[in-house]
């Protein structure tokens, strides 16, 4: 490539990204540009002599003009360089240069005062990703033995590193193909960085309210008042250039004028003034911004552009941002006591962390929490969710000692693939309950930047189930489940005892339990006159019964009876029981005062408090959802697919050749489809296209007869009467009869797409498909083949990678699954074969993102055989589809560079 071509070569857009450093602050990473010479010289002047020596193995106090040109002149293929910036200043540069086909030499230089922030690891991740996209297989580096930080960067990356010592230099070499270890290292670093960024918000030592005002009806004054009356233990600073005092507190013209450190700034100024506040906060060294101000993406395209500039500016200076259009943040921990929100109501302390995207609903949610006596550990209203998202809060709550239950109100999901990965990990430690608005309409509120996805809504639901998330329909359902998880132990199974003084409510409970998959193993009716002693004996007996996993208590008091004695019994039993106890007590909602157990931490209701529901059906529904989570938690994943017989190299070679010839995408021909599937151990029976009777006769002879003649046109394949297929053809005469009959049955026979194929063993027709979704990445689905099940949407979905348990669940959760298990006396299918085929398709889709669509529309599953009769595959270039799998990057608004 000539120098002119090098100067005009453009890197892929997704190589540019905002990234999160180890300390929770942000930086901007991008390919080097031809005009970066001055930035590079200024950067180099700030680097210590020792760091320069470690990089070049010789004293090199300054860069010559030739050196500068060498560093900034790249072709983005064989020579790739990435720079990292904060506040417009270059703080690091890394590059690789190809030294031989498939191998490149890699090196970094990080400004000394930014060393130790994980910058080297980030540069390595992104250079390795760029290298993989350019066909690089191995990285090589020469490092001085005293350069321990650089050696640690390579050794800690999770790759299999080989090193050698020669002529006083350590030579390091490793394959950049992602391994389970390297991906695990990246995910661990991502978790620590994102958790640290939220820690700064929810555990601040000082808060500045920008826009604080003396006027009673202003947002700024309300924020100051709520911070002070909420007994925030840190310092509160009021910032307003035109006021002398707010609520008796001195004011400062700018954040930079505040005499002490400022951890978090709460911003309540007009939208067009927020960017100036960002610059002011950046100069002060503020960690993060909570932007209450509206007037951004929720107002339309102009506001959307303003929001994009706001996020870019904040991140470029290392700041994270909650909002805009947010309600604020709350931490009820007495050691923090932070109410940096517009809600005058500080919720009681509790075990649940709540993330809410809607600022408008935030106050109503906090009031509901208070009325139910649930209590929260922390609360974050993200508004337009321009930067900080539910994924960030999940990273923080995973190890937060104050949070035992996670509540999410989601109006959109910016990165479902990442959400699925994080939520699955968190769910193993703490239950997650989620309400997802727009679930059926897929509507997205104004202000929320979400890329479109093509996967059906059932795939989203499957993602939640797969990750162990308890998905509910309404906020009331969320609180019903949360109060049970926050105060009672998990059930061991689905067997329920109903104890009560009302036969009618006992029957309602039994009906409700049957409807949601619970089994009433014991029902005790104590009669309307039952007292506290009767309840105590019955509850103790039910809890001691080995055939009972949970207890539902129903108490409707007789006239002129308070029920206090029964309440004391319920509270005492609930506190001591190792099985969950729920109640419909006096028709109360939440955790009534009478049923609370004191909490030593001073929170609203202690462990063992008995939640009450206004209707027994609500109690049973909440219990069923908790049972589902408990079952998920105890269900082993099973083994992963044995990939020893998969030829990944051959598969990638075939895809590479096909896309090289068709760079805009291509539908593979039958031979290519067979070869690609064969690389994954999947055999497709060949079809021979025929246009004339003579061709059909020849095809039958070539296949050794016992063949079928069938039409493959889409409008004919879906006919339930199978009038497009003629089976069991053994001779030329039978082929002539079949050809003549189908020609008469089918209108426009010339367009029927006739093929001849060997006659398959009998079986149930099933269909397995996969796709590459722009947001989800790989998605795999399963169902019984045919138009009726397709019309009813009777398909199951999973997000690869999947394991044995996922494949087993996919086969069994479709409504038509009885057809595979001997329905009405038919022969049962060997479902193990079906599950293994699902696993292989899922593995292929997981490994090969260029496969945009794979369809096995007709697979015959028999008692002993599994026959794949048809298959189609579509390839498309997907350079950035999964770039965030192996290199950390922060989400961006659609239309920006980078990947979310």
């Amino acid at each position: 490539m000539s120098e002119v071509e090098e100067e005009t070569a453009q890197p892929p857009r997704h190589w540019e990204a905002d990234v999160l450093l180890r300390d929770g602050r942000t930086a901007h990473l991008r390919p080097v540009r031809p005009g970066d010479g001055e930035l590079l010289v200024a950067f180099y002047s700030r680097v210590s002599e020792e760091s320069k020596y470690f990089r070049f193995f010789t004293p090199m106090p300054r860069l010559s003009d030739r050196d500068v040109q060498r560093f900034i002149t790249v072709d983005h293929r064989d020579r790739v360089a990435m720079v990292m910036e904060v506040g417009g200043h270059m703080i690091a540069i890394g590059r690789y240069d190809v030294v031989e086909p498939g191998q490149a030499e890699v090196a970094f230089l990080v400004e000394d005062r930014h060393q130790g922030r994980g910058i080297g690891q980030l540069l390595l991740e992104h250079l390795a990703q760029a290298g993989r996209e350019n066909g690089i297989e191995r990285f090589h580096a020469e490092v001085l033995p005293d350069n321990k930080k650089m050696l640690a960067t390579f050794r800690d990356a999770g790759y299999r590193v080989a090193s050698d010592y020669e002529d006083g230099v350590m030579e390091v070499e490793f394959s950049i193909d992602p391994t389970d270890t390297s991906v695990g290292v990246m995910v661990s670093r991502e978790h620590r960085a994102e958790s640290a960024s939220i820690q700064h918000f929810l555990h601040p030592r000082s808060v500045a309210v920008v826009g604080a005002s003396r006027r009673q009806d202003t947002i700024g004054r309300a924020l100051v008042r709520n911070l002070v009356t909420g007994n925030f233990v840190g310092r509160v600073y009021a910032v307003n250039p035109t006021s002398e005092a707010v609520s008796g507190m001195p004011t400062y013209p700018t954040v930079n004028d505040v005499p002490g450190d400022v951890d978090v700034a709460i911003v309540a100024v007009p939208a067009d003034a927020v960017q100036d506040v960002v610059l002011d906060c950046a100069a002060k060294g503020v960690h993060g911004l909570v932007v209450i101000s509206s007037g951004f993406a929720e107002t339309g395209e102009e506001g959307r552009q303003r929001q994009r500039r706001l996020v870019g500016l904040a991140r470029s200076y290392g700041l994270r941002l909650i909002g805009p259009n947010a309600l604020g943040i709350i931490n009820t921990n007495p050691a923090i006591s932070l109410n940096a929100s517009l809600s005058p109501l500080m919720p009681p302390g509790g075990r649940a962390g709540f993330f809410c995207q809607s600022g408008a609903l935030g106050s109503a949610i906090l009031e509901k929490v208070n009325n139910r006596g649930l209590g929260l550990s922390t609360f974050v209203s993200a508004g337009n969710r321009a930067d900080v998202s539910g994924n960030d809060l999940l990273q923080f709550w995973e190890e937060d000692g104050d949070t035992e239950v996670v509540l999410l109100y989601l109006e959109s999901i910016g990165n479902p693939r990442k959400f699925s990965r994080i939520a699955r990990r968190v769910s193993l430690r703490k239950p997650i309950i989620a309400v997802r608005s727009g679930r059926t309409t897929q509507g997205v509120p104004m202000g929320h930047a979400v890329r479109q996805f093509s996967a059906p809504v059932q795939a989203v639901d499957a993602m939640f189930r797969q990750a162990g998330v308890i998905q509910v329909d309404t906020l009331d359902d969320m609180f019903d489940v949360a109060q049970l998880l926050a105060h009672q132990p998990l059930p061991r199974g689905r067997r329920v005892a109903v104890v009560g003084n009302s036969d009618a409510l006992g029957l309602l409970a039994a009906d409700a339990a049957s409807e949601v998959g619970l089994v009433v193993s014991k029902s005790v009716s104590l009669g309307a006159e039952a007292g506290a002693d009767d309840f105590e004996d019955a509850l103790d007996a039910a809890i001691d019964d080995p055939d009972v996993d949970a207890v539902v208590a129903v108490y409707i008091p007789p006239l002129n009876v308070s029920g206090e004695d029964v309440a004391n019994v319920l509270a005492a039993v609930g506190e001591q029981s190792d099985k969950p106890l729920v109640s419909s007590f006096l028709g109360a909602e939440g955790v009534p005062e009478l049923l609370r157990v004191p909490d030593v931490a001073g929170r609203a209701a202690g462990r063992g408090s008995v939640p009450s529901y206004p209707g027994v059906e609500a109690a049973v529904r909440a219990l069923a959802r908790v049972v589902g989570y408990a079952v998920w938690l105890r269900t082993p994943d099973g083994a992963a697919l044995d990939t020893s017989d998969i030829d990944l190299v051959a598969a990638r070679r075939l895809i590479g050749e096909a896309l090289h010839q068709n760079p805009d995408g291509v539908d593979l021909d039958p031979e290519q489809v067979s070869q690609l599937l064969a690389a994954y151990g999947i055999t497709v029976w060949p079809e021979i296209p025929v246009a004339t009777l003579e061709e059909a006769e020849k095809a039958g002879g070539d296949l050794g007869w016992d063949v079928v003649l069938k039409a493959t046109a889409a409008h004919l394949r879906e006919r339930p009467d199978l009038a497009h297929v003629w089976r069991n053809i053994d001779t030329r005469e039978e082929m002539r009869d079949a050809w003549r009959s189908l020609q008469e049955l089918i209108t426009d026979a010339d367009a029927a797409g006739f093929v001849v194929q060997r006659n398959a063993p009998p079986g149930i027709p099933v269909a397995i498909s996969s796709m590459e979704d722009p947001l989800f990445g790989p998605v795999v689905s399963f169902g019984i083949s045919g138009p009726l099940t397709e019309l009813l949407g009777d398909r199951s979905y999973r997000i690869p990678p999947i394991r044995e348990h996922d494949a087993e669940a996919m086969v069994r959760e479709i409504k038509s699954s009885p057809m595979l298990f001997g329905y009405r006396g038919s022969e049962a299918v060997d479902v193990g074969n079906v599950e293994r085929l699902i696993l292989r398709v899922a593995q292929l889709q997981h490994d090969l993102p260029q496969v945009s669509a794979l369809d096995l529309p007709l697979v015959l599953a028999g008692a002993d055989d599994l026959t794949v009769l048809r298959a189609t595959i579509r390839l498309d270039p997907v350079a950035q589809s999964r770039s965030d799998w192996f290199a950390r990057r922060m989400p961006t608004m659609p239309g920006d560079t980078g990947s979310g």
Side-chain angles (χ1 to χ4, degrees), residues 416-571:
R417 184 170 59 242
K418 182 176 178 179
F419 172 83
S420 175
R421 168 169 54 84
I422 299 172
R424 184 178 181 88
R425 192 181 69 235
V426 175
S427 291
L428 292 170
R429 302 181 60 176
K430 302 176 181 182
I432 301 172
I433 313 167
V435 176
R436 182 163 54 90
S437 66
R439 181 178 173 188
T440 56
T441 63
Q442 294 300 301
V444 176
M446 287 291 289
H448 287 231
V450 179
R451 293 174 176 82
Q452 293 297 312
F453 57 87
S454 53
V457 64
Q458 296 94 323
V460 187
D461 294 339
M463 177 198 73
F464 276 70
R465 289 195 304 274
Q466 192 175 347
V469 176
I470 305 169
Q471 186 172 209
V472 295
D473 299 321
T474 67
L475 285 170
D476 284 329
D477 289 342
M478 169 184 281
F479 294 128
D480 285 345
V481 177
Q483 64 193 35
L484 174 51
L485 286 166
H487 304 304
Q488 291 289 305
L490 290 176
R492 298 188 182 93
R494 300 182 179 276
R495 300 167 301 176
V496 177
V498 179
V499 177
N501 64 343
S502 168
D503 292 342
L505 290 181
L507 286 173
L508 283 175
D511 288 344
S514 176
E515 186 176 342
V516 293
L518 300 181
V519 178
V520 177
S521 59
K522 188 171 189 174
S523 183
V524 180
S525 178
L526 300 174
E529 301 300 324
D533 291 341
D534 300 315
F535 266 91
E536 183 173 13
D537 292 340
L539 290 172
D540 286 341
I543 288 170
D544 292 339
D545 191 333
D547 293 327
V548 171
D549 300 311
V551 179
V552 178
V554 178
Y555 180 66
I556 302 298
L559 292 176
N560 301 320
V561 176
S562 69
E564 185 174 349
D565 291 343
V566 174
N568 291 334
V569 166
L570 285 173

Side-chain angles (χ1 to χ4, degrees), residues 98-402:
V98 171
V99 293
E100 59 182 72
Q103 181 164 314
E105 185 172 356
V106 65
F108 317 108
L109 184 59
V110 180
E111 187 177 338
D112 293 69
R113 69 188 185 97
H114 293 287
Q115 292 176 9
R117 303 180 69 194
I119 292 172
Q121 292 96 335
L122 277 162
L123 285 169
L124 179 58
E125 286 173 18
H126 285 258
L127 286 170
Q129 179 63 25
R132 285 188 287 269
E133 294 175 20
N134 284 329
I136 307 299
E137 297 173 355
R138 302 186 69 79
F139 272 176
H140 169 83
E142 294 184 346
V143 186
L144 291 174
D146 291 339
N147 193 353
K148 301 188 185 305
K149 291 180 181 179
M150 186 59 67
L151 288 171
T153 296
F154 292 125
R155 287 173 176 162
D156 295 344
Y159 297 107
R160 299 181 183 91
V161 177
S163 58
D164 193 15
Y165 188 80
E166 186 175 342
D167 297 330
V169 175
M170 292 288 294
E171 295 188 356
V172 179
E173 186 177 330
F174 53 93
S175 167
I176 60 173
D177 193 40
T179 66
D180 289 343
T181 303
S182 65
V183 173
V185 167
M186 188 203 77
V187 168
S188 177
R189 288 173 178 158
E190 172 192 72
H191 165 67
R192 290 196 300 270
E194 293 180 1
S195 178
S197 71
I198 301 303
Q199 178 83 12
H200 291 312
F201 280 107
L202 293 175
H203 290 76
R205 295 163 298 177
S206 55
V207 174
V209 178
V210 186
S213 173
R214 299 176 63 182
R215 290 172 49 195
Q216 292 289 341
D217 58 346
T218 61
I219 290 175
R221 184 179 177 87
L223 289 165
V224 172
R225 182 180 62 246
N226 294 341
L227 277 163
V228 173
T229 59
N231 297 317
F232 176 51
V233 300
R235 296 294 303 272
V236 178
Y237 299 105
V239 177
N240 190 317
T242 62
S243 297
E244 295 181 359
V246 174
S247 298
M249 300 171 55
T251 62
Y252 301 91
T254 68
V255 175
N256 207 27
D257 291 318
V258 171
D261 292 334
V262 176
D263 291 332
V264 174
I266 314 298
V267 183
V269 300
D272 56 6
V274 174
Q275 291 196 39
D276 292 335
V277 175
V278 173
L279 296 174
D280 185 29
C281 290
K284 181 65 175 176
V286 173
H287 287 288
L289 306 172
V290 181
V291 180
I292 309 296
S293 311
S294 58
F296 290 88
E298 79 282 358
T299 63
E301 185 55 34
E302 182 179 349
R304 186 180 181 83
Q305 295 297 330
R306 184 183 295 119
Q307 180 169 303
R308 180 178 286 116
R309 291 192 298 269
L310 170 63
V311 175
L313 184 65
R315 288 181 176 175
S316 71
Y317 281 96
L319 282 72
R320 295 222 68 183
L321 180 148
I322 293 176
N325 197 29
L327 184 75
I329 60 177
I330 293 173
N331 187 343
T332 63
N333 186 324
I336 308 295
S337 195
L338 172 73
N339 183 8
S341 79
L342 291 177
S343 172
L345 179 66
M346 180 76 157
R351 295 174 170 79
F354 201 124
F355 174 80
C356 173
Q357 290 180 356
S358 171
L361 276 177
S363 294
I365 287 171
L366 291 173
E367 187 173 351
K368 278 180 173 288
V369 167
N370 188 61
N371 292 341
R372 283 177 173 252
L374 176 61
L376 297 180
S377 61
T378 42
F379 172 85
V380 173
S381 162
N384 292 359
R385 202 209 62 213
D387 179 21
V388 169
S389 70
N391 288 340
D392 297 297
L393 269 297
L394 285 175
Q395 300 276 33
F396 170 76
W397 280 324
E398 181 177 2
E399 294 175 2
D400 178 39
D402 293 332

Side-chain angles (χ1 to χ4, degrees), residues 856-871:
L856 307 183
L858 184 57
V859 178
L860 288 183
D864 303 306
D865 305 287
L866 186 75
T867 311
V868 181
L869 295 177
R870 295 202 70 240

Side-chain angles (χ1 to χ4, degrees), residues 616-777:
V616 69
E617 300 94 338
V620 171
R621 283 197 304 270
L623 182 59
R625 287 192 165 105
V626 173
V627 166
Y629 169 69
V631 170
W632 176 87
L633 204 58
R634 287 194 292 267
T635 301
D637 285 338
L641 176 70
D642 180 4
T643 60
S644 59
D645 63 339
I646 290 177
D647 192 346
L648 183 58
V649 173
R652 287 176 172 168
R653 184 186 305 117
L654 187 154
I655 288 175
E657 292 172 354
L659 286 177
H660 179 73
Q661 297 173 4
N662 304 273
D664 294 328
V666 62
D667 293 309
L668 296 184
D669 62 41
E671 180 63 25
Q672 291 172 313
V673 169
S674 294
Q675 290 176 7
L676 184 56
L677 292 175
Y680 278 78
I682 302 171
T683 302
V684 184
W685 278 26
E687 294 178 334
I688 301 178
V690 294
T692 65
L693 173 60
E694 291 73 19
E695 290 179 1
E697 290 174 339
K698 182 178 185 304
D702 291 344
L703 292 174
W705 297 109
D706 190 19
V707 297
V708 300
L709 174 67
K710 59 183 179 182
T712 58
H715 69 286
L716 297 172
R717 278 203 318 269
E718 303 306 323
R719 289 180 58 166
D721 58 6
L722 297 179
H724 66 296
V725 180
W726 198 284
R727 304 179 184 281
N728 305 114
I729 304 172
D730 281 317
T731 64
R732 290 181 176 273
E733 291 74 18
E734 291 178 358
M735 179 64 79
R736 284 194 288 272
D737 290 341
W739 185 267
R740 183 171 57 254
S741 297
L742 290 183
Q743 291 281 328
E744 293 173 354
L745 281 171
I746 296 174
T747 304
D748 192 14
D750 292 339
F754 285 113
V755 299
V756 175
Q757 192 173 41
R758 281 185 297 150
N759 196 35
I764 302 296
V766 300
I768 302 171
S769 301
S770 67
M771 62 181 293
E772 182 73 17
D773 184 87
L775 274 180
F776 279 80

